[in-house]
Amino acid sequence: LHLLISGAGSYETWRAWVLSPDIAIAGSVATLALLAHMWVGLRDVLLDYARPVAVRVAALAVLAGALVTLGVWLLRTLWMGGG
């Protein structure tokens, strides 16, 4: 909405807006909420369908590692501009 009202301008203007502290905080909260939602949903699917305990534990470990990696990458991108 902000970009529609004020106009995107240039890449530098858009990037500065995205990296501003208020947008970075909002994006961080949204990122953490999305990752928590993904964990709950995918964990429930794995608990329902991964029958052998070893497979279930391994799948949950891979899922946790993937979500942590994704979260670190997203938060790094929001706070440091990906560079």
Side-chain angles (χ1 to χ4, degrees):
L1 184 62
H2 169 76
L3 294 176
L4 288 174
I5 291 172
S6 66
S10 65
Y11 171 77
E12 290 78 21
T13 305
W14 176 83
R15 187 172 189 270
W17 178 73
V18 169
L19 293 177
S20 66
D22 53 341
I23 299 302
I25 289 169
S28 297
V29 170
T31 296
L32 295 175
L34 178 64
L35 291 171
H37 184 72
M38 290 170 65
W39 168 255
V40 170
L42 293 171
R43 182 203 62 200
D44 286 352
V45 169
L46 288 173
L47 290 176
D48 286 345
Y49 293 108
R51 291 293 175 202
V53 175
V55 171
R56 183 181 300 162
V57 170
L60 288 171
V62 169
L63 174 61
L67 291 178
V68 166
T69 301
L70 180 61
V72 168
W73 175 73
L74 286 169
L75 292 174
R76 181 176 177 262
T77 301
L78 279 173
W79 287 99
M80 294 189 234

